[in-house]
Amino acid sequence: MRGRLQQGRRELVVGWALCAVASLVYLLTADRSASWWDCGEFITTSHTLQVGHPPGAPVYQLIAHLFSLLAGHNLALVAPLCNALSALAGGFTVMLLFWTAVLLWPSPRRFPLGALVGALCYLFSDTVWFSAVESEVYSLAMLVAAALVWIMLRWEQRGDDRRLLLVALLLGLGLGVHLLVLLTAPTLLYVFIRAGGFRRPGWGRVALFGALFFLLGLTPYAIIPIRAAAGTPINEGNPSTPETFRKYLARDQYEKAPLYPRMWRQRDSDQRNYRDWTYDTTGIGANAVYYFSYQFGYMYCRYLMYNFAGREAVYHTASYNPHTRRFAVERHHYIAIFILPALLAIYGLLSMRRRTRRQYWLVMLLFLFGGVLLNLYLNHPCYEPRERDYAYVLSFYAVSLWIAAGAQALWECPRLKQWLSALLLALAPLTMAVGNWPDHDRSRNHATHDIAMAHLQPCRPDAILLTLGDNDTFPLWYLLHVEQQRPDITLYNINLTGVRRSLSIIRDNLGQRPIYLSQYAYARFGALFEGHLRCIGLCWEVTPEPVAIGSEKAIPDLQWHITPTEHLDPVSASFLNHWNRNLPATE
């Protein structure tokens, strides 16, 4: 009994140590401000409790709001604190993965080195690390998913039905973070059935209370129609009535992908793109080829290999010359090779199938529903505007559990010297850490903040700024609503406002208020104002009087933080290339 207690205490200490190490790694490499895509929106709507894009993330908003309050009057700390939420959630997920691996693959005689290796490989994997250093929902959603699986296994071990009520509550709360939490339901049901849950006395009463606790977990969704009815400045979909709230939850504003055909979207470039992936096949065969080559191969297996086999990574460095007001953006390639985790995962999968079928099917269900079946359901169009690897992070969690099983089997293999086994197992997470660190360290990254400021700073007082996409809108929302930069500027997103309404805003205010188009809005609608556009900063001013197109206004006081050692993402590099192209003259 004493040995078992000591073993449990050891695993407890190692788990908390892993949590501390993972949290420290993520905090050290976290972005110091808002990042691209939805991050600026999440920070803004969380700090000010406004209504973001459907179907909402009220639980994430409430927790991030509490983190943002720690900033006090220093509004520049709001974004780092929201990023810290993801970092800490990632750290706790690593801890739960270690404890889950110990439960799945107990080793009473030896140190659970396999669980340690699996947790570290998850810590340093590409997708997990990327989500843990920015204000997105996926890191927190994975914490809830990992907690659900671990608590369910503990219930199976101890038989305390109160844990089932906690699972029901967390499942409801998790849906208020992200719907990927729902993908754990088949695994939870499998554990319940194999533990004889339906044969336990009083299971109907537990089910009834479980349903009540699940509904209790859904109650944070009430803040969405409440805040929408208050008329918040950011109010996407305005879900203030029962009908609009239903449409908001159902994501009616987005395209719905059917399960078939696989080549469902029919935009101008789609037919050409389809031909690239179907190799001139037609009919049902073309759909099958497209699925296996693009959707399953390119949009899932590629991400799987990115995380556990290695990838050719691309990053940029940028330096700013204040005299010429130009950027030198250089592109670098390097190959991160860490095939060991993938080999350990395959070995672990085979070892679990041979030695413990019960645990094999548990992890397999996580992998299938979090990866292969989800990929089939999402039915990706050709092409996506950004990488979608974050959608499959639950399946990468399952692969990390296979790595833990493979590492433990290798550690216990009598044919290998222990020093050789330890060396191989140490190399797996070490090569991932070394290979991925340069591409995931955003601690010096000011590009998103600076580029957003370069949209606002040049605008004249009381200006109207029209944007088009996520990356020229959400960082500006963050600056306007969180940091309170240039509150005199009125921002309209054309996609949300509507094209006709946006054009009428320009027509009604031209000559009365300064009007500007972002780079994306200029690329789409600039031809409508030919001869009446002047490039200023990263915007284009719409002028009442004709001007020479491309003429620019000097902005000597524009501030940039970018240093020669800063790694840039392709989105930032694209904006800076716009800057260089649109400023041909120097003073």
Side-chain angles (χ1 to χ4, degrees):
M1 178 66 70
R2 181 178 298 176
R4 191 174 299 174
L5 288 174
Q6 289 176 346
Q7 180 190 355
R9 189 177 298 114
R10 177 191 64 191
E11 292 161 356
L12 186 68
V13 171
V14 173
W16 281 105
L18 273 171
C19 177
V21 170
S23 299
L24 181 62
V25 168
Y26 294 149
L27 288 171
L28 288 175
T29 56
D31 205 315
R32 298 303 186 251
S33 184
S35 303
W36 295 118
W37 300 105
D38 296 343
C39 299
E41 180 199 25
F42 277 123
I43 296 171
T44 305
T45 56
S46 298
H47 177 63
T48 54
L49 291 181
Q50 301 188 61
V51 182
H53 66 271
V59 174
Y60 174 88
Q61 277 186 278
L62 291 172
I63 299 175
H65 180 72
L66 294 177
F67 271 69
S68 73
L69 294 179
L70 298 175
H73 297 293
N74 189 352
L75 298 177
L77 290 178
V78 170
L81 285 167
C82 290
N83 296 337
L85 167 60
S86 295
L88 294 176
F92 279 93
T93 305
V94 171
M95 177 184 71
L96 289 172
L97 191 150
F98 172 77
W99 288 343
T100 301
V102 170
L103 291 176
L104 293 175
W105 195 272
S107 181
R109 296 181 181 177
R110 295 195 179 192
F111 178 78
L113 185 61
L116 178 63
V117 172
L120 289 174
C121 286
Y122 179 83
L123 189 167
F124 294 117
S125 60
D126 178 64
T127 300
V128 173
W129 199 342
F130 191 93
S131 297
V133 295
E134 64 179 18
S135 295
E136 259 284 10
V137 296
Y138 301 101
S139 189
L140 184 60
M142 274 309 304
L143 173 59
V144 177
L148 286 169
V149 175
W150 179 72
I151 294 169
M152 203 67 188
L153 288 172
R154 293 288 288 175
W155 167 81
E156 183 184 33
Q157 187 182 63
R158 299 290 179 87
D160 185 354
D161 287 343
R162 289 176 298 180
R163 287 189 168 90
L164 291 179
L165 301 183
L166 179 58
V167 165
L169 178 64
L170 281 178
L171 192 59
L173 289 171
L175 295 181
V177 179
H178 194 273
L179 294 178
L180 78 81
V181 174
L182 194 60
L183 297 174
T184 63
T187 302
L188 305 179
L189 181 61
Y190 170 73
V191 175
F192 183 78
I193 292 173
R194 81 179 187 185
F198 289 115
R199 297 192 302 270
R200 296 168 67 92
W203 77 268
R205 180 169 55 88
V206 173
L208 176 61
F209 278 98
L212 293 176
F213 272 72
F214 174 75
L215 293 175
L216 182 64
L218 295 178
T219 54
Y221 266 103
I223 71 169
I224 292 176
I226 290 172
R227 293 298 292 155
T232 57
I234 300 174
N235 191 0
E236 298 187 50
N238 189 20
S240 56
T241 67
E243 178 61 19
T244 55
F245 185 45
R246 183 199 63 78
K247 292 180 179 180
Y248 182 87
L249 294 178
R251 304 174 80 249
D252 281 2
Q253 74 178 62
Y254 298 116
E255 291 179 310
K256 295 294 190 298
L259 289 178
Y260 187 85
R262 307 310 296 179
M263 298 181 290
W264 55 274
R265 198 177 68 181
Q266 301 295 326
R267 294 183 182 175
D268 294 341
S269 60
D270 283 333
Q271 292 302 323
R272 181 179 66 253
N273 295 333
Y274 291 149
R275 286 193 296 271
D276 293 340
W277 291 97
T278 56
Y279 311 110
D280 297 325
T281 55
T282 58
I284 296 177
N287 278 271
V289 171
Y290 173 73
Y291 168 69
F292 284 107
S293 62
Y294 174 73
Q295 293 183 324
F296 182 67
Y298 187 75
M299 293 301 292
Y300 179 68
C301 292
R302 178 171 62 100
Y303 296 144
L304 194 62
M305 295 298 102
Y306 272 11
N307 281 276
F308 301 107
R311 71 182 178 98
E312 182 181 21
V314 179
Y315 63 88
H316 306 76
T317 58
S319 58
Y320 178 65
N321 187 323
H323 301 292
T324 62
R325 293 186 290 120
R326 288 177 177 274
F327 286 90
V329 180
E330 300 176 0
R331 195 171 188 178
H332 303 264
H333 298 258
Y334 75 96
I335 298 178
I337 300 176
F338 36 85
I339 193 69
L340 270 175
L343 297 177
L344 285 174
I346 295 171
Y347 185 42
L349 184 153
L350 297 176
S351 298
M352 292 187 78
R353 190 175 188 276
R354 184 177 64 253
R355 295 175 59 178
T356 170
R357 287 293 184 93
R358 288 163 59 91
Q359 312 299 28
Y360 165 80
W361 280 112
L362 184 150
V363 181
M364 181 60 76
L365 284 172
L366 282 177
F367 176 77
L368 290 176
F369 280 89
V372 178
L373 296 178
L374 178 62
N375 176 261
L376 188 68
Y377 170 78
L378 291 177
N379 197 357
H380 291 289
C382 191
Y383 288 95
E384 294 276 16
R386 61 183 291 199
E387 299 287 15
R388 300 297 190 187
D389 54 309
Y390 54 82
Y392 303 110
V393 65
L394 183 63
S395 71
F396 305 150
Y397 185 89
V399 173
S400 299
L401 290 174
W402 281 333
I403 292 174
Q408 192 65 31
L410 190 66
W411 176 238
E412 296 174 352
C413 181
R415 299 178 183 177
L416 282 179
K417 299 285 187 181
Q418 276 211 336
W419 67 267
L420 180 59
S421 299
L423 177 63
L424 290 174
L425 297 181
L427 282 175
L430 182 62
T431 51
M432 293 177 71
V434 173
N436 279 331
W437 194 292
D439 209 30
H440 292 74
D441 182 7
R442 304 193 209 172
S443 59
R444 301 186 308 272
N445 193 345
H446 305 277
T448 307
H449 185 276
D450 286 359
I451 289 169
M453 284 299 296
H455 282 79
L456 296 182
Q457 282 180 316
C459 294
R460 289 186 284 148
D462 199 31
I464 293 175
L465 174 57
L466 287 95
T467 61
L468 185 68
D470 295 353
N471 287 328
D472 61 341
T473 302
F474 297 157
L476 299 183
W477 279 356
Y478 163 74
L479 290 178
L480 290 170
H481 295 277
V482 177
E483 291 196 4
Q484 301 295 313
Q485 302 281 356
R486 295 300 307 272
D488 59 296
I489 293 177
T490 304
L491 187 144
Y492 294 97
N493 179 281
I494 296 174
N495 284 331
L496 298 177
T497 307
V499 175
R500 290 186 178 180
R501 171 64 179 151
S502 300
L503 293 177
S504 68
I505 289 172
I506 295 175
R507 183 185 64 250
D508 295 343
N509 290 276
L510 192 60
Q512 301 179 31
R513 297 179 63 183
I515 298 175
Y516 300 86
L517 303 178
S518 71
Q519 286 289 348
Y520 290 156
Y522 164 74
R524 181 73 63 87
F525 299 105
L528 299 178
F529 306 98
E530 186 174 357
H532 290 264
L533 291 167
R534 176 170 54 215
C535 182
I536 300 181
L538 278 175
C539 300
W540 292 80
E541 183 179 9
V542 183
T543 62
E545 303 299 328
V547 296
I549 190 165
S551 66
E552 52 95 6
K553 176 183 176 183
I555 314 168
D557 58 343
L558 205 60
Q559 299 296 313
W560 298 90
H561 294 90
I562 295 174
T563 66
T565 58
E566 182 169 335
H567 300 321
L568 294 181
D569 55 275
V571 175
S572 302
S574 174
F575 272 111
L576 298 185
N577 287 331
H578 275 300
W579 171 276
N580 285 339
R581 285 199 301 269
N582 292 330
L583 294 177
T586 58
E587 293 191 351

